[in-house]
Amino acid sequence: MKKIALTGIKPTGVPHIGNYLGAIKPALELSQKCEARYFIADYHALNSCKDPDEIRSMTLEIAAAWLACGLDPEQVLFYRQSDVPQTFELLTVLLAFTPKGLMNRAHAYKAMLKSNAEAGKDPDDGVNMGLYTYPVLMAADILLFDTDLVPVGNDQFQHVEMAADIAQSFNHIYQQQAFKLPQALAHDTVKTVVGLDGRKMSKSYGNIIPLFAPEKKLRKLVMKIVTNSQSVEEPKDPESCSVFALYKCFAEPAQVEELRAKYIAGGMGWGYAKQKLFEQMNAVLTPYRERYEELMDDPGYIQQVLREGSAKARELAAAKISQIRRIIGIE
Ligand code: ADP
Ligand code: TRP
């Protein structure tokens, strides 16, 4: 029996190459080995985004991004969280098994309290109950589908551990293995992808290269990557250079060695290294960008894929929720 891998993708912000290399690509590789269930976590986005057009368009864009990167809906169950109402019934059930103290310990909530304290505001300023109970909704997403593995970034590990805690408490009270205990799986990423300013590429730092940036924009962004002020003649250190770090993410080992030699030898300007990086990124990303543009021209197709996936997901979810209802005495 194949293991079940499940992950949620929030429809917020344009996907960047950090997301691609750090999350999308490894999750698609994992889907070759596991029974994969990947979904758009639109109700998770509602906690922070109250713009209906934004939620609508980002849902389409994120779905198109995954499809363009190679998600095969025949192989991966691909659906929209909001189309699986059993999620929200399970959320209500799980709330009754979640100690309030567990939520108080969530990193994201604690970070809000801290920043409020620093700003001299009320501790709960800007904290809605959706944000406070975010880990329980995530537990519902995970436990509803008998998930074994949850591929996520490190920032989400605590949430997966909480899902396992909640499952364990339920199983203990009813003395049966009603829920599987999920395990977080670190994305098999080589390392953190750096952004234009040399820090981790992240929406919150405004230093991203969008995955589907048109060719001209891509070139412009690559030319903006921060380098030092060394002259053309000077030998350069590849290991401390963001241009080189990104090149390694896109080029073949032999190409990487060739560029490394040019850095060390001197006589190479930053313009040359950036041009090489642009050409390599553009070559790798062009097919994805083309597929993405085709998909975005046909939103009806994307919606159909999500509708079909959601219908299958609802079947699995209905069976699980009826099992849980029987256990708790509501059916
Ligand atoms: P952002 O930091 O831009 O808000 P998210 O937190 O939405 O990105 O990222 C979703 C996932 O993409 C993360 O859990 C992580 O696995 C991956 N990811 C994001 N940024 C990077 C990066 N710079 N390098 C590697 N992986 C990344
Ligand atoms: N909280 C995750 C994030 O911010 C998204 C998410 C929602 C998720 N539900 C999930 C991830 C279930 C894994 C499993 O990235």
Side-chain angles (χ1 to χ4, degrees), residues 82-202:
S82 56
D83 285 332
V84 184
Q86 292 84 355
T87 306
F88 313 105
E89 183 170 351
L90 185 57
L91 165 67
T92 303
V93 173
L94 297 181
L95 283 169
F97 296 83
T98 307
K100 176 169 176 283
L102 188 68
M103 296 299 97
N104 290 341
R105 289 198 290 278
H107 297 320
Y109 173 62
K110 277 169 55 182
M112 290 282 282
L113 293 186
K114 186 161 173 258
S115 77
N116 281 338
E118 281 164 7
K121 293 185 189 159
D122 182 84
D124 281 330
D125 193 79
V127 179
N128 60 52
M129 285 305 287
L131 189 110
Y132 186 63
T133 60
Y134 187 103
V136 197
L137 179 55
M138 197 161 144
D141 295 327
I142 296 171
L143 302 180
L144 188 58
F145 289 95
D146 293 323
T147 306
D148 296 293
L149 300 171
V150 186
V152 277
N154 294 344
D155 60 324
Q156 298 296 316
F157 270 44
Q158 190 198 31
H159 293 153
V160 182
E161 282 158 15
M162 288 179 168
D165 285 350
I166 297 169
Q168 206 156 22
S169 148
F170 186 100
N171 290 351
H172 178 71
I173 289 171
Y174 296 102
Q175 284 298 303
Q176 54 185 300
Q177 293 303 308
F179 292 117
K180 274 197 199 163
L181 302 187
Q183 237 189 349
L185 182 73
H187 287 312
D188 192 11
T189 317
V190 214
K191 59 185 157 350
T192 303
V193 178
V194 295
L196 299 178
D197 57 359
R199 290 186 291 173
K200 172 188 183 232
M201 186 177 290
S202 169

Side-chain angles (χ1 to χ4, degrees), residues 3 16 20 27 33 45 71 85 136 143 152 167 185 193 209 228 240 244 267 271 282 284 293 300 316 323:
K3 293 218 163 161
H16 53 74
Y20 171 64
K33 291 180 274 181
L71 183 146
V136 197
L143 302 180
V152 277
L185 182 73
V193 178
I209 300 180
N228 61 24
S240 60
F244 193 74
N282 195 42
V284 173
E293 283 164 5
L316 295 170
Q323 177 201 357

Side-chain angles (χ1 to χ4, degrees), residues 8 25 29 74 93 133 158 174 194 218 230 251 260:
K25 197 169 170 228
E29 280 161 12
E74 296 295 318
V93 173
T133 60
Q158 190 198 31
Y174 296 102
V194 295
L218 178 63
Q230 281 181 301
R260 187 196 302 279

Side-chain angles (χ1 to χ4, degrees), residues 43-330:
Y43 268 116
H44 277 281
L46 183 64
N47 294 318
S48 54
C49 175
K50 307 293 194 278
D51 176 346
D53 291 336
E54 167 98 8
I55 294 214
R56 224 169 268 133
S57 66
M58 284 316 302
T59 297
L60 270 184
E61 284 179 40
I62 296 287
W66 280 76
L67 293 167
C69 291
L71 183 146
D72 173 4
E74 296 295 318
Q75 205 195 354
V76 176
L77 184 64
F78 191 45
Y79 59 96
R80 214 165 58 134
Q81 180 189 37
S82 56
D83 285 332
V84 184
Q86 292 84 355
T87 306
F88 313 105
E89 183 170 351
L90 185 57
L91 165 67
T92 303
V93 173
L94 297 181
L95 283 169
F97 296 83
T98 307
K100 176 169 176 283
L102 188 68
M103 296 299 97
N104 290 341
R105 289 198 290 278
H107 297 320
Y109 173 62
K110 277 169 55 182
M112 290 282 282
L113 293 186
K114 186 161 173 258
S115 77
N116 281 338
E118 281 164 7
K121 293 185 189 159
D122 182 84
D124 281 330
D125 193 79
V127 179
N128 60 52
M129 285 305 287
L131 189 110
Y132 186 63
T133 60
Y134 187 103
V136 197
L137 179 55
M138 197 161 144
D141 295 327
I142 296 171
L143 302 180
L144 188 58
F145 289 95
D146 293 323
T147 306
D148 296 293
L149 300 171
V150 186
V152 277
N154 294 344
D155 60 324
Q156 298 296 316
F157 270 44
Q158 190 198 31
H159 293 153
V160 182
E161 282 158 15
M162 288 179 168
D165 285 350
I166 297 169
Q168 206 156 22
S169 148
F170 186 100
N171 290 351
H172 178 71
I173 289 171
Y174 296 102
Q175 284 298 303
Q176 54 185 300
Q177 293 303 308
F179 292 117
K180 274 197 199 163
L181 302 187
Q183 237 189 349
L185 182 73
H187 287 312
D188 192 11
T189 317
V190 214
K191 59 185 157 350
T192 303
V193 178
V194 295
L196 299 178
D197 57 359
R199 290 186 291 173
K200 172 188 183 232
M201 186 177 290
S202 169
K203 290 189 283 281
S204 18
Y205 296 149
N207 64 357
I208 66 160
I209 300 180
L211 181 53
F212 305 113
E215 191 168 321
K216 267 199 184 142
K217 174 92 197 279
L218 178 63
R219 186 164 193 284
K220 222 168 125 185
L221 286 171
V222 169
M223 294 303 154
K224 271 199 190 157
I225 297 172
V226 176
T227 47
N228 61 24
S229 52
Q230 281 181 301
S231 66
V232 173
E233 299 75 45
E234 283 177 83
K236 299 176 176 61
D237 174 26
E239 298 316 325
S240 60
C241 173
S242 307
V243 177
F244 193 74
L246 283 166
Y247 190 73
K248 281 202 279 195
C249 297
F250 288 92
E252 298 299 328
Q255 296 173 299
V256 173
E257 287 321 306
E258 205 176 302
L259 190 61
R260 187 196 302 279
K262 289 211 160 63
Y263 267 72
I264 293 168
M268 177 205 77
W270 292 123
Y272 176 88
K274 288 179 176 181
Q275 179 63 24
K276 278 280 166 213
L277 171 62
F278 160 70
E279 285 167 12
Q280 190 58 32
M281 283 180 76
N282 195 42
V284 173
L285 296 176
T286 295
Y288 296 123
R289 186 197 305 128
E290 286 173 357
R291 178 81 185 115
Y292 176 78
E293 283 164 5
E294 269 170 39
L295 285 158
M296 286 306 285
D297 282 341
D298 189 1
Y301 169 76
I302 304 170
Q303 278 150 353
Q304 186 198 332
V305 167
L306 288 175
R307 246 195 329 269
E308 287 174 9
S310 300
K312 282 188 225 157
R314 277 195 300 274
E315 278 178 36
L316 295 170
K320 189 74 197 176
I321 206 77
S322 115
Q323 177 201 357
I324 297 304
R325 278 168 152 252
R326 272 197 306 279
I327 293 175
I328 61 180
I330 286 191

